[in-house]
Amino acid sequence: MLTSLYAVLFYGATMVLVAGIAYRVWQYSTTPAPLKIPTTPAPLTRGGVAVRLAREVVLFESLFKANKWIWLFGWVFHAGLLLVLMRHLRYFTEPVWGWVVLMQPAGLYASFAMVAGLLGLWARRIFVPRIRYISAPSDHLMLALLIAIGVSGLAMRYVARTDIVAVKAFFLGLIYFDWQPLPADPVLLIHLTLVVALMVIFPVSKLLHGPGLFFSPSRNQPDDARERRHVAPSLTTPLRAEAGAKR
Amino acid sequence: MVELKIRQPVPGEEIPDPAAIPALVPGAMAHSRPYLASPEHQEAIGFPGELVDDWKERAIGKLGELVANSRALRVYLDTCVKCGACTDKCHYFLGTGDPKNMPVARQDLLRKVYRRYFTFAGKYFPWLVGAEDLTEEVLDEWYSYFHQCSQCRRCSVYCPYGIDTAEVSMAAREIMDSVGKGQKYCNEIIGKVMKFGNNLGLQEKAHRATLEDLEEDIEDETGVAVRLPLDEKGADILLVTPSADFFAEPHIDGLIGYAKVFHHVGASWTISSYASEAANFGMFIGSQDNMRELMLRIRKAAEDLGVKRIIFGECGHAWRAAYNFLDTLAGPFDFLDRRYPVPQHICEYTYDLIQKGALNFDKSLNDDIRLTFHDSCNVSRASRMGDKPGGQYEIPRAILRAVCNHFYDMPADTIREATFCCGGGGGLLTDDLLELRIKGAQPRMRAMQQVAQDHGVTHIAAICAICKTQFAKVMPEYGFEMDDVVSVHQMVSNAILLDGQNTGGEEDDEDGEDGAERAVSGG
Ligand code: SF4
Ligand code: SF4
C-alpha cells in the first residue's frame, strides 16, 4: 500500500517535473526577441556569450558584483545542492559509478553547507527590511521546504538511520518497473514526501529560474547590432517608404 | 513649487556615500505622477484619447500580447527569485527611500497582475505568491511608479538573470497608453517629431535661421567661416543630433564642437530639417511602432539627401536606439557606404581623427576647468562605441584627456557600467516630476561632490542631451552652478585650433558676455 502510494507519487511528480521544464523551455524558445538588448559591455560573439553565461552559472558573477552576502549564501547553497544531488546518484545506480563513490565524503559536508546557505538566505529574508518587503509567503515557504528536505536527509544519516539498502532497492525498482517495498520509516517518508512536493512545485514556481538565465536577452545576446542586422520575427508589417505618412 | 529637504553639503564636511542605503519610507513617493496626456496628444500617435471603459480587459489583453511577443518580458516576469540583489541599485530608491522604487518591487507591480491572470500559481493561490487583481488602485500605482523609472538598466547589471526593469517599465507604459492613460511629456513630444521632425517643434525656416546665427557667432569668435549646413544634397555625412543641440546651453556648444571638427578635416556633412531629431521617445513608452515611425524619418532623410554615412550627435537614449534598433526597425541601410559602421557616434568620429593626429588642440585653453565625466546610462549599459566592449567608456574619456589637462573620474562604483543615472532619463525630464528628478540625482551629485572636494573638480561633462538639461536644472540643489555641466564636444570646441583661427586675447572684447561667464563658472 505504502509502496504503491509512493511509487505512484514519484512517477507522477517526475512527469510533472519533466513536462513542466520542457514546456517552459519550449515557451521561451518560441517567444520572439524582437530587439537587441544585451546589457553592455557584452561579448561581441556567440562564443563570448557562452563564456559570459558560464561565468554566471558557475560563479554567479553578477550577484557577486551586487551583494557579497547574498552571493555567499546563494552560491554555497547551490554548490551544496549540486554535490548532494550527485551523491544521491548512488541510490539510483547499480553498480554505483566510480566518481560517485569518490565524492561520497564531499557530498556529506555539502549537505551541511546547503542547509547553512539556506538558513543564511532565510535570515536575510527575515531580518533585512528591503528583502522582507519584497518577499511573498511562497518565498518563505520554499526556503522552509528546502531546509526541511535537507534536515530530514541529515537526520536519516545522523539521528534516525534508515534502511538505506531497502530504499535503494525501492528506487531501482521504480526505474526498472519492478517495485520493491519501501521501509515505513517516518523520517524517510517525510523526506520523500517533501521531495515529491518540491518536484511538483518546481516547474510552476520561481524555482525554475535556471532556464531563465539562458533565455535572458540581456545576457544571452552578443553585442553585434552594427555587424549583423538583427531581424525581428514579430515585426511583420512591411516597411513604409514614406515615413510619417500614416498619421 | 515642491518643497525639498535636500541639504547642500557644507564645505569640508564629509560627503555621504553616493550608494548609501536609506531606511525604507513606504509611500514616500506615492504622490509623484506626471501630467496625463490630453486626448489630442494621445490620438495623434495612435492611442485612445482617454481611459477606455473596458480598460481592465484591454490592459490584461495587452499584457498577454506583450508577453507573447517579447521573450525578455516573459523571462523577466517569470524568473525573478526575489533574491534582493537589485534592491539597493536604483538611484530613485537611494534618493527617496520609497520601497516601491526598489527595482524588484517596481517589477512586482506588473508581475503581481501577470501572475494573477497568466500563471497557474497566481490563478489558484494568489495570496501565496503575491498575485493581485488589476484594479483602479493598481493602475494608479503603475502610473506613479513606472514613471519613477528612468529605464537606466543599472538594476539589470546586478541581477543574476539580467532582469531589466527598464523593459518592464516600457511594457507597463505601453499598456497604459493602449488603454488611454498616457504621459503628456513623452506623447506630446513624439507627436511633434511626427509633425515637425524634432522634439521642439522647430520648423525649417527657424531652424535655418538658428544655424545661420550660429555660423556668424563662430566666425565672430574664431575668425573662421565654419559652416552648419542644412539639407545639403549630396553631402557625405548626415548628422542626426538631439534638437536641444540647436538651442539649449550647454548643448549648443557641443554642436559647435562637431561643426569645428567637420570643418577642420574638410568633411562634407549636413543636418536634415526633416529628421532634425536624434531623440526617440518611442523607446521610453515601449512603443515599437512609434519608435520605428521616427526612425523611418531618418532613413528617408538619408535617402533623399543621398548621404553615405549617418553620424549621431551627443545623446544617450538616441544612441541606444540608433546603435541597437535602427538597423532592425528601419534597415537595411544598403544604400550607405558600408565601409563605415551604421550608424556612427560623433565621439567615434572625433576619436578616430585624434588617433590619426588630424586635429590640433591647445589643452591649456581648458585650464579654467577641472573636469569629470558622467557616463550616460544608455551609452554605458545599452550600447557601445568603437570595436571593443567598453569602448563607450574609453572613447569619450580619451577625447576629454586629449583636450583638457585636468580630468578626474568619480568613484569607481559610480561610473562606467555602475554609473548612476542623472535622474532625468527615460521620459522623466519634465517639470511635473521635478521633485523626483532632484531626489534621483542624489547619488550622482554626491559622487560629483566627492571629486569636487578631493580634486577641486568644477565641471561635469556629458554626452547626452537629457543628462545635460537635467544637470543644469538640479545641480544648484547640490551646491553647483547650472552651467557647471558641459558637452564633451564643447571641450573639444574650446581647445581645437582651426587653421586661420584668431589667437586668444582679443576675443574677450568681442564676446565679452560669454567670455565673462566662462571665467566665472570656471573659477
Ligand atoms: S532601470 Fe534604473 S530607474 Fe528603472 S528600476 Fe532599474 S535602476 Fe531604477
Ligand atoms: S536581482 Fe533579479 S532576481 Fe534578484 S530580486 Fe532583483 S530582479 Fe529579482
Side-chain angles (χ1 to χ4, degrees):
Chain A
M1 175 59 205
L2 189 71
T3 301
S4 328
L5 175 66
Y6 275 83
V8 170
L9 280 177
F10 268 96
Y11 283 136
T14 307
M15 263 155 31
V16 170
L17 180 68
V18 171
I21 294 176
Y23 174 71
R24 195 66 78 85
V25 168
W26 171 81
Q27 201 181 35
Y28 287 166
S29 56
T30 52
T31 305
L35 294 174
K36 272 275 172 160
I37 57 166
T39 309
T40 59
L44 308 187
T45 59
R46 294 243 131 247
V49 164
V51 174
R52 181 185 205 178
L53 291 176
R55 286 201 310 262
E56 289 292 352
V57 172
V58 179
L59 305 173
F60 295 8
E61 188 180 42
S62 297
L63 191 55
F64 184 79
K65 280 189 221 166
N67 187 306
K68 301 292 183 281
W69 285 111
I70 306 178
W71 175 83
L72 180 71
F73 293 136
W75 194 86
V76 163
F77 157 59
H78 281 86
L81 177 65
L82 178 68
L83 291 176
V84 167
L85 287 176
M86 291 189 330
R87 200 190 84 96
H88 275 66
L89 283 175
R90 68 186 297 108
Y91 307 128
F92 302 90
T93 51
E94 185 59 47
V96 178
W97 302 334
W99 64 269
V100 177
V101 177
L102 282 180
M103 59 141 323
Q104 164 85 0
L108 283 176
Y109 292 118
S111 37
F112 286 103
M114 179 184 129
V115 173
L118 286 167
L119 288 172
L121 289 173
W122 205 1
R124 285 188 62 81
R125 204 173 276 296
I126 294 167
F127 296 115
V128 177
R130 281 174 290 128
I131 307 187
R132 185 168 63 228
Y133 182 89
I134 59 167
S135 301
S138 59
D139 299 313
H140 290 283
L141 286 175
M142 283 177 210
L143 283 168
L145 176 63
L146 287 163
I147 289 171
I149 290 174
V151 169
S152 57
L154 282 168
M156 272 185 285
R157 165 111 201 154
Y158 295 104
V159 186
R161 293 188 75 99
T162 195
D163 181 356
I164 202 68
V165 177
V167 175
K168 176 164 180 171
F170 170 77
F171 279 105
L172 286 174
L174 286 186
I175 294 172
Y176 298 110
F177 297 102
D178 172 19
W179 296 358
Q180 304 295 320
L182 179 69
D185 179 343
V187 186
L188 173 70
L189 296 185
I190 290 173
H191 187 70
L192 295 184
T193 310
L194 296 176
V195 169
V196 165
L198 180 70
M199 289 165 77
V200 172
I201 294 170
F202 194 88
V204 294
S205 70
K206 68 167 192 180
L207 294 173
L208 186 57
H209 50 271
L213 172 62
F214 292 96
F215 286 101
S216 170
S218 37
R219 291 287 183 269
N220 80 1
Q221 291 182 336
D223 172 17
D224 60 359
R226 286 194 293 188
E227 289 75 26
R228 227 176 307 284
R229 179 163 189 248
H230 179 75
V231 188
S234 74
L235 296 170
T236 43
T237 358
L239 268 185
R240 273 178 306 267
E242 192 71 19
K246 194 172 90 183
R247 284 149 192 152
Chain B
M1 183 59 71
V2 252
E3 210 189 302
L4 294 160
K5 294 203 192 71
I6 297 172
R7 209 163 50 84
Q8 294 174 14
V10 182
E13 184 190 49
E14 200 180 324
I15 293 155
D17 180 359
I21 304 172
L24 298 191
V25 191
M29 291 302 283
H31 59 277
S32 174
R33 60 194 57 221
Y35 294 145
L36 270 179
S38 70
E40 180 198 341
H41 296 142
Q42 283 284 100
E43 280 156 13
I45 59 171
F47 299 125
E50 47 194 28
L51 196 64
V52 293
D53 290 338
D54 56 346
W55 64 271
K56 195 174 144 183
E57 291 69 33
R58 280 220 231 170
I60 294 165
K62 186 74 185 175
L63 173 58
E65 188 189 312
L66 293 179
V67 166
N69 278 299
S70 164
R71 184 183 295 164
L73 188 62
R74 189 192 282 282
V75 168
Y76 297 161
L77 289 178
D78 280 343
T79 302
C80 174
V81 294
K82 310 292 174 80
C83 71
C86 61
T87 50
D88 57 348
K89 304 302 180 230
C90 178
H91 50 288
Y92 292 120
F93 171 67
L94 298 180
T96 67
D98 190 321
K100 290 196 171 120
N101 277 329
M102 300 190 293
V104 43
R106 194 186 316 285
Q107 298 157 22
D108 277 348
L109 297 175
L110 187 65
R111 186 178 286 116
K112 65 187 180 186
V113 174
Y114 167 73
R115 284 197 167 156
R116 182 72 183 102
Y117 298 98
F118 296 96
T119 69
F120 172 82
K123 273 180 201 160
Y124 301 102
F125 310 97
W127 51 275
L128 203 57
V129 295
E132 260 180 56
D133 286 338
L134 178 56
T135 59
E136 211 152 337
E137 288 78 58
V138 171
L139 184 70
D140 283 343
E141 222 173 30
W142 284 3
Y143 192 73
S144 176
Y145 287 98
F146 286 119
H147 290 110
Q148 298 189 41
C149 170
S150 58
Q151 307 176 344
C152 77
R153 308 191 96 196
R154 190 168 194 268
C155 44
S156 95
V157 169
Y158 297 99
C159 172
Y161 314 103
I163 294 175
D164 182 5
T165 316
E167 291 292 319
V168 178
S169 288
M170 289 172 191
R173 293 187 193 175
E174 164 98 321
I175 294 169
M176 290 188 281
D177 272 327
S178 76
V179 299
K181 199 174 167 80
Q183 182 218 22
K184 173 172 184 271
Y185 174 66
C186 282
N187 293 2
E188 182 178 4
I189 279 184
I190 294 170
K192 275 193 202 156
V193 189
M194 303 269 188
K195 214 160 153 190
F196 302 110
N198 56 64
N199 287 5
L200 305 173
L202 187 69
Q203 302 192 35
E204 198 228 308
K205 240 174 104 184
H207 195 182
R208 190 174 296 278
T210 309
L211 295 177
E212 280 166 5
D213 284 353
L214 266 182
E215 286 177 345
E216 274 174 36
D217 291 349
I218 302 173
E219 191 163 357
D220 286 349
E221 196 182 325
T222 64
V224 182
V226 173
R227 297 205 50 224
L228 287 160
L230 186 68
D231 294 334
E232 285 197 0
K233 286 210 168 167
D236 286 343
I237 297 167
L238 170 63
L239 177 80
V240 183
T241 205
S243 55
D245 282 2
F246 302 125
F247 87 114
E249 289 290 348
H251 313 59
I252 212 162
D253 298 304
L255 175 67
I256 293 174
Y258 321 148
K260 286 186 180 174
V261 169
F262 286 135
H263 172 90
H264 191 70
V265 297
S268 139
W269 67 290
T270 187
I271 296 164
S272 155
S273 63
Y274 178 73
S276 42
E277 182 59 70
N280 194 324
F281 282 26
M283 185 173 110
F284 296 153
I285 61 165
S287 166
Q288 266 179 41
D289 287 345
N290 279 297
M291 192 155 70
R292 181 144 149 274
E293 201 79 12
L294 301 187
M295 286 175 169
L296 287 173
R297 290 185 78 96
I298 297 172
R299 181 193 172 93
K300 181 168 156 46
E303 280 176 323
D304 290 353
L305 294 167
V307 297
K308 301 199 180 84
R309 315 162 60 172
I310 303 179
I311 294 184
F312 276 75
E314 296 180 6
C315 184
H317 83 282
W319 181 238
R320 177 186 192 181
Y323 176 89
N324 271 308
F325 309 152
L326 182 68
D327 203 13
T328 296
L329 295 175
F333 286 86
D334 294 331
F335 61 94
L336 296 175
D337 184 343
R338 301 302 312 220
R339 284 175 304 171
Y340 303 102
V342 179
Q344 260 186 311
H345 194 283
I346 187 71
C347 284
E348 294 178 313
Y349 183 81
T350 301
Y351 174 74
D352 283 347
L353 293 172
I354 294 175
Q355 294 304 99
K356 287 185 195 139
L359 303 177
N360 306 320
F361 299 113
D362 178 356
K363 289 172 145 194
S364 70
L365 292 172
N366 275 320
D367 273 355
D368 54 340
I369 287 175
R370 297 174 74 84
L371 193 69
T372 192
F373 175 67
H374 167 68
D375 291 282
S376 297
C377 313
N378 277 300
V379 176
S380 301
R381 293 184 281 256
S383 64
R384 170 166 53 103
M385 288 181 202
D387 48 17
K388 284 194 254 338
Q392 66 269 39
Y393 314 131
E394 307 309 333
I395 288 177
R397 283 179 173 76
I399 296 174
L400 292 173
R401 288 207 162 92
V403 301
C404 86
N405 283 313
H406 308 292
F407 178 83
Y408 305 92
D409 259 324
M410 286 178 280
D413 57 347
T414 71
I415 56 171
R416 298 174 185 251
E417 72 171 358
T419 187
F420 279 113
C421 172
C422 63
L428 310 182
L429 191 75
T430 166
D431 281 350
D432 34 320
L433 294 175
L434 192 57
E435 178 192 1
L436 177 78
R437 287 167 53 191
I438 293 172
K439 291 180 172 171
Q442 179 188 289
R444 170 44 77 227
M445 287 293 106
R446 283 182 176 174
M448 186 175 171
Q449 287 168 343
Q450 280 186 357
V451 276
Q453 198 170 67
D454 297 348
H455 303 288
V457 161
T458 57
H459 288 70
I460 188 165
I463 39 171
C464 169
I466 289 175
C467 299
K468 292 171 197 172
T469 306
Q470 158 77 353
F471 284 144
K473 186 88 179 186
V474 304
M475 287 209 306
E477 301 285 335
Y478 292 93
F480 297 98
E481 302 290 327
M482 65 177 290
D483 50 8
D484 289 347
V485 53
V486 294
S487 299
V488 167
H489 275 78
Q490 174 178 359
M491 298 297 288
V492 173
S493 171
N494 292 347
I496 197 167
L497 300 175
L498 303 174
D499 296 333
Q501 179 167 347
N502 300 339
T503 38
E506 65 221 83
E507 277 171 51
D508 274 0
D509 316 310
E510 291 201 16
D511 197 23
E513 197 191 342
D514 192 38
E517 212 174 82
R518 288 250 168 89
V520 169
S521 61

